[in-house]
Amino acid sequence: MSASHDAARGAVRIRCASVPEAPTATWSNGIVAGNDIVLSGMTAHPASRDAASPLSAYEQTLLVLGKVKALVEAGGGTLANVYRLAVYVTDIADKDEVGRARQEFFADIVGRGGAYPCSTLVQVSGLVFPELRVEIDAFARRDIDMTRLG
């Protein structure tokens, strides 16, 4: 459930029990290269399929950000190392719900005098499964602390 940098290999695949890769995956959930932690787009799947009723964009965003946090931590970082997010939504009207989830999720970082990660929000025509409303790519660096910005 962790990644350590091996200079001879140059990069290490992040493995995280709480965010497993599908056995048929043709991607890695995350890679650590030096201080960089780069994550693939995360969605609320499979929780989005297992829910008794459809998950809102707010609920999906919180689930996705939880996966981001788990993967960054497995890569040797913390939530304070996340400096950039690319957010894809299937309905731009969900921007307020996504924003509310982000505000709550990063409240501790901002509350300690830090800043929210830089971000892009884009509406897309669809995601991999029809019930998905949000997908997030995340970028972190272990040598960046968003609570200690100049």
Side-chain angles (χ1 to χ4, degrees), residues 41-127:
M42 293 289 120
T43 68
H45 183 79
S48 57
R49 287 228 164 137
D50 297 340
S53 60
L55 298 177
S56 68
Y58 169 80
E59 292 166 321
Q60 288 192 26
T61 303
L62 287 177
L63 282 169
V64 172
L65 291 172
K67 288 181 177 184
V68 166
K69 181 177 186 270
L71 287 164
V72 167
E73 289 175 352
T78 70
L79 193 58
N81 300 134
V82 176
Y83 68 90
R84 176 157 172 61
L85 300 173
V87 182
Y88 307 93
V89 295
T90 56
D91 185 346
I92 202 68
D94 288 336
K95 69 180 176 53
D96 292 337
E97 284 188 65
V98 170
R100 181 169 58 101
R102 286 173 42 121
Q103 184 176 26
E104 290 174 16
F105 201 83
F106 290 100
D108 182 57
I109 305 292
V110 175
R112 290 188 281 155
Y116 294 103
C118 295
S119 184
T120 299
L121 177 70
V122 178
Q123 180 176 315
V124 296
S125 62
L127 296 169

